[in-house]
């Protein structure tokens, strides 16, 4: 985990028992990070006014900055957005930014390689947004409507993401699925009031998506769920006060 101190932060390592192993001071500001198998660390600051002249940083295992990427041309206009930016992909680490349409992988040589680029049509954030004052720009895209990618999963066969779209007070969340072997793609709209059990994907195993499902959603919608006999038996004693449940849902073909 990391803790911020304004213009610097520390990365803390713990044992599974909760015991603190050690801390590494990092002389930069960031909202999210990812540690590579080589102990190299990637940090992302978002469009943060106080983060400096770049948004993406690479450090060695001791926290020394090795490389800076993505010039922060918006640092006098934008506020920090603390969303997850790094995701584990198909033998790669994926990277995305808020309000952007591209998904990258962290490549050898401490660089980014664009893997996918999406077109959200009328809800794509226009380029002029980046030249506007932060508040005026957000008012503009809120009236127009804007879409954003999150919760990315990438395997040899599938690319999956949550696509959130907002227009003023109206919000919509969709589960986007692309079957790369058949080149078929589709979206499933998620009603968070009634289908909250599908709003938090945490992984993919084979042809099944894995979700954290909160008990009140499952209890109130149990009659509408397409459950296997095994799942029905597992949930038979579930109450609204039960702990969250991990559910596996087969990806439709």
């Amino acid at each position: 985990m990391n803790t911020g101190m304004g213009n610097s932060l520390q990365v803390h390592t713990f044992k599974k028992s909760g015991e603190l192993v050690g801390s590494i001071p990092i002389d930069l500001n960031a909202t999210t990070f990812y540690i590579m198998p080589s102990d190299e660390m990637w940090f992302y600051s978002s469009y943060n006014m106080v983060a400096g002249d770049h948004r993406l940083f690479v450090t060695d295992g001791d926290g020394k900055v090795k490389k800076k990427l993505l010039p922060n041309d918006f640092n006098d206009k934008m506020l920090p957005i603390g969303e997850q930016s790094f995701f584990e992909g198909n033998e790669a680490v994926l990277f995305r930014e808020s309000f952007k349409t591209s998904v990258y992988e962290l490549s050898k040589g401490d660089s980014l390689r664009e893997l996918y680029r999406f077109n959200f049509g009328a809800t794509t954030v226009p380029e002029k947004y980046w030249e506007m004052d932060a508040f005026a720009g957000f008012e503009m895209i809120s009236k127009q409507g804007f879409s954003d990618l999150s919760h990315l999963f990438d395997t040899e066969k599938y690319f999956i993401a949550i696509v959130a779209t907002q227009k003023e007070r109206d919000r919509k969340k969709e589960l986007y699925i692309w079957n790369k072997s058949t080149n078929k793609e589709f979206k499933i709209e998620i009603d968070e009031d009634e289908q909250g059990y599908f709003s938090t994907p945490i992984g993919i195993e084979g042809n099944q998506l894995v979700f954290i499902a909160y008990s009140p959603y499952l209890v109130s919608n149990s009659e509408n769920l397409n459950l296997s006999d095994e799942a029905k038996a597992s949930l038979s004693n579930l109450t609204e006060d039960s702990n969250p449940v991990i559910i596996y849902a087969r990806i439709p073909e």
Side-chain angles (χ1 to χ4, degrees):
M1 63 171 292
N2 71 312
T3 56
M5 294 172 284
N7 60 354
S8 63
L9 55 86
Q10 287 188 320
V11 174
H12 307 288
T13 305
F14 294 86
K15 293 182 179 179
K16 290 184 178 180
S17 62
E19 179 184 351
L20 178 66
V21 176
S23 301
I24 301 173
I26 311 293
D27 189 23
L28 52 86
N29 183 292
T31 56
T32 185
F33 74 103
Y34 191 93
I35 300 178
M36 304 293 279
S38 61
D39 289 336
E40 188 176 77
M41 295 183 284
W42 288 71
F43 294 87
Y44 179 65
S45 67
S46 186
Y47 315 106
N48 193 338
M49 292 185 295
V50 300
D53 55 2
H54 287 76
R55 308 193 296 278
L56 188 62
F57 307 86
V58 188
T59 76
D60 61 20
D62 295 322
K64 182 178 179 181
V65 176
K66 297 172 52 181
K67 192 170 184 178
K68 302 179 181 180
L69 299 93
L70 303 180
N72 195 1
D73 300 327
F74 325 110
N75 63 344
D76 61 339
K77 301 175 183 177
M78 301 297 293
L79 298 174
I81 303 173
E83 295 181 335
Q84 186 175 354
S85 298
F86 301 104
F87 302 85
E88 292 189 15
N90 182 26
E91 298 182 354
V93 179
L94 306 183
F95 171 76
R96 48 73 68 182
E97 294 190 277
S98 297
F99 304 148
K100 299 283 190 176
T101 59
S102 294
V103 175
Y104 301 90
E105 77 167 7
L106 308 185
S107 299
K108 294 179 180 179
D110 301 332
S111 61
L112 296 176
R113 183 173 75 90
E114 187 180 64
L115 289 181
Y116 312 112
R117 181 178 295 184
F118 293 85
N119 183 350
F120 297 124
T123 59
T124 299
V125 174
E127 285 299 318
K128 65 180 180 180
Y129 168 77
W130 304 105
E131 301 172 2
M132 299 175 65
D133 170 82
F135 297 102
F138 189 78
E139 182 179 7
M140 183 266 292
I141 63 172
S142 182
K143 288 182 179 179
Q144 165 199 288
F146 63 93
S147 295
D148 215 359
L149 289 166
S150 65
H151 293 87
L152 309 180
F153 304 96
D154 192 38
T155 68
E156 184 177 355
K157 185 176 181 180
Y158 297 104
F159 177 82
I160 294 170
I162 291 289
V163 180
T165 300
Q166 180 174 333
K167 186 173 183 180
E168 296 184 325
R169 294 187 178 183
D170 295 329
R171 293 178 58 85
K172 180 173 68 173
K173 181 178 283 189
E174 296 172 302
L175 179 64
Y176 169 80
I177 300 174
W178 173 31
N179 186 324
K180 291 185 282 188
S181 63
T182 63
N183 206 30
K184 291 182 178 179
E185 56 183 354
F186 56 93
K187 294 179 182 178
I188 301 172
E189 187 168 349
I190 299 170
D191 183 333
E192 291 189 271
D193 290 331
E194 296 184 1
Q195 297 172 299
Y197 42 85
F198 284 147
S199 65
T200 312
I202 59 172
I204 180 172
E205 293 188 13
N207 63 347
Q208 297 181 104
L209 266 174
V210 187
F211 297 86
I212 290 181
Y214 296 96
S215 298
Y217 291 116
L218 291 173
V219 171
S220 61
N221 292 279
S222 59
E223 295 181 359
N224 302 321
L225 294 175
N226 182 18
L227 297 174
S228 66
D229 291 339
E230 182 181 0
K232 288 179 181 178
S234 297
L235 300 177
S236 60
N237 296 320
L238 194 71
T239 70
E240 291 191 354
D241 296 324
S242 298
N243 290 326
V245 175
I246 294 178
I247 61 174
Y248 292 77
R250 188 178 299 276
I251 299 171
E253 295 295 335

